[in-house]
Amino acid sequence: MKCRHCQSDQCFEVIDLGHAPPSNAYLSPAQLARPEIWYPLRVMVCSECWLMQTVDVTDYSQLFDADYAYFSSYSASWLAHAKNLVTHLITRFHLTPEQLVVEVAANDGYLLQYVKDAGIRCLGIEPTLSTAIAAREKGLEIETCFFGTQTADQLSQKGCQADCMIANNVLAHVPDINDFVGGFTRLLKPTGVITFEFPHVLALLQHHQFDTIYHEHFSYLSLLSVTRILQQQGLMVFDVEQLTTHGGSLRLYVQHQQTGPHATNPQVNALLDLEREAGLAYPATYQALNQQAIEAKHALLAFLLTQKQAGNTVVAYGAAAKGNTFLNYAGIRPDLLEAVVDRNPHKQGKYLPGSRIPIVDETYLRERQPRYILILPWNLTTEIIEQLSYARQWGAQFVRAIPALEIL
Ligand SMILES: [Zn+2]
């Protein structure tokens, strides 16, 4: 394949996870009688620009349908994170009510609600209709479309220019990353600021987070690769923070290369050096992930088989995309994992794609009283254990499978 950013054909295979259906394609009971389409799930890394990327397999419209079940507002810790970011941006960049904040991938308004509360003008851009409707119910203005140069031009022609743009956990999810970033260049005022947050590929590699790989996740980003992508579009990073969200993320502060007013924090070069020292400019560093995934798969299968033979019940918690990658890669079905509990009412009553494990609400846990609760979204471990602490009363133990199988 050719690199999606720089078109180089010097791409090396990182990991082959077999085949999987789109990870957000939750099935209704009626859909269980129908076939599912499984696509190859392979990841490459480009040795020119070090962009780690999922190999293209499917048309994008299938990956984000109108039924999209991920509503940001269902995670309490994510809401707090959004609120803190808004407060920080208002203070640091002196945002005033007449300025404009644009959020790309505004989802259900989980973040812009705080901008609105602060009395600052804002606009959300969100391609999925169900979440956009939820955002409008919060009184937010939302454009329902995919973001890129075309959308940015249309908004600019209407006189829309942003003082501050926010894009959390979307940069890695766009198929055409060059066109997407180009949209920011066009919509941002000459002195404006953009913040991008995305999972850091260094954390993925160091903590064996292979389950964050799925078709809708097109890119796995480092500061090395993103700096280059931004540069091509006339943008530059002037500050960076390492965050603990999603198992290790980066938050970049970005401005126009030519007209941006902010001095570059030495932290930017320090992190670039750290990435080089960690081996992010060698294919072998990325390719170690394949063996780590095999080991994690064997460990989880051995655990589930042992519990099956001992007559112990195991129920999973969190019907997230990453769980689907792992369960389908490992070939786990309801005979080994009978149900997955999730708080999101939009998912309850449905089935996980591929593995077809039923998604149930929390009352199932109290009635079934499983011996083990397998936490699939390991990034929310603390929050989930706290929320389910009552399960300790019947002797339940919590289990996590990544970075290595662990009973907590
Ligand atoms: Zn490349």
Side-chain angles (χ1 to χ4, degrees), residues 3-8 11 46-51 53 228:
C3 170
R4 240 180 247 127
H5 165 60
C6 75
Q7 303 302 316
S8 162
C11 293
C46 170
S47 63
E48 280 293 318
C49 70
W50 302 109
L51 179 63
Q53 48 204 298
R228 211 178 135 142

Side-chain angles (χ1 to χ4, degrees), residues 7-8 13 71 74 88 111 120 141 175 191 206 235 245 251 268 276 303 333 344 367 383 390:
Q7 303 302 316
S8 162
E13 181 167 290
F71 283 73
Y74 285 97
H88 175 71
L111 182 141
I120 295 167
E141 194 190 328
T191 54
Q206 287 179 336
L235 299 170
T245 45
R251 177 188 289 162
V268 176
R276 285 190 201 97
F303 171 78
R333 299 291 175 267
N344 185 341
E367 283 163 14
E383 187 178 339
Y390 60 83

Side-chain angles (χ1 to χ4, degrees), residues 6-268:
C6 75
Q7 303 302 316
S8 162
D9 52 12
Q10 294 300 302
C11 293
F12 295 86
E13 181 167 290
V14 170
I15 188 169
D16 184 349
L17 292 167
H19 285 64
S23 70
N24 283 308
Y26 296 93
L27 304 167
S28 65
Q31 285 170 314
L32 290 180
R34 295 183 216 144
E36 282 173 88
I37 306 175
W38 290 51
Y39 300 94
L41 186 51
R42 287 168 64 221
V43 169
M44 314 285 275
V45 68
C46 170
S47 63
E48 280 293 318
C49 70
W50 302 109
L51 179 63
M52 181 167 133
Q53 48 204 298
T54 306
V55 177
D56 272 334
V57 283
T58 178
D59 68 285
Y60 314 132
S61 59
Q62 267 189 310
L63 299 179
F64 300 94
D65 63 17
D67 237 7
Y68 192 59
Y70 186 83
F71 283 73
S72 293
S73 294
Y74 285 97
S75 162
S77 61
W78 189 239
L79 281 177
H81 178 83
K83 193 175 181 180
N84 287 338
L85 173 60
V86 169
T87 309
H88 175 71
L89 291 173
I90 292 173
T91 315
R92 180 168 177 184
F93 301 107
H94 314 291
L95 297 176
T96 57
E98 58 279 6
Q99 292 189 312
L100 177 67
V101 174
V102 174
E103 190 192 10
V104 175
N107 202 274
D108 60 359
Y110 74 101
L111 182 141
L112 283 185
Q113 61 183 339
Y114 301 117
V115 179
K116 183 174 169 274
D117 287 351
I120 295 167
R121 274 204 308 148
C122 58
L123 170 70
I125 296 165
E126 172 55 50
T128 52
L129 191 61
S130 52
T131 48
I133 289 169
R136 287 192 189 111
E137 281 166 6
K138 295 186 175 84
L140 297 165
E141 194 190 328
I142 303 288
E143 290 275 340
T144 316
C145 57
F146 282 99
F147 186 74
T149 51
Q150 202 184 348
T151 300
D153 284 342
Q154 283 163 2
L155 289 169
S156 292
Q157 279 158 17
K158 286 194 258 174
C160 176
Q161 283 281 288
D163 295 278
C164 176
M165 296 183 76
I166 301 166
N168 284 343
N169 295 306
V170 60
L171 191 57
H173 288 80
V174 292
D176 186 348
I177 198 164
N178 293 337
D179 183 72
F180 181 79
V181 171
F184 287 83
T185 312
R186 290 162 192 233
L187 201 55
L188 186 72
K189 277 189 187 168
T191 54
V193 170
I194 314 165
T195 65
F196 290 105
E197 279 181 33
F198 50 83
H200 193 189
V201 74
L202 185 61
L204 185 159
L205 297 171
Q206 287 179 336
H207 305 294
H208 316 169
Q209 299 161 353
F210 72 91
D211 60 341
T212 62
I213 294 169
Y214 45 90
H215 299 107
E216 301 92 320
H217 196 174
F218 290 90
S219 306
Y220 305 84
L221 303 162
S222 59
L223 186 58
L224 277 171
S225 58
V226 175
T227 299
R228 211 178 135 142
I229 293 165
L230 292 168
Q231 215 163 31
Q232 192 195 58
Q233 303 298 331
L235 299 170
M236 63 168 287
V237 180
F238 67 89
D239 199 4
V240 59
E241 287 168 23
Q242 288 181 276
L243 310 173
T244 55
T245 45
H246 294 276
S249 296
L250 293 185
R251 177 188 289 162
L252 308 188
Y253 295 85
V254 171
Q255 63 185 356
H256 286 285
Q257 248 164 28
Q258 302 298 332
T259 53
H262 303 281
T264 304
N265 187 321
Q267 199 53 43
V268 176

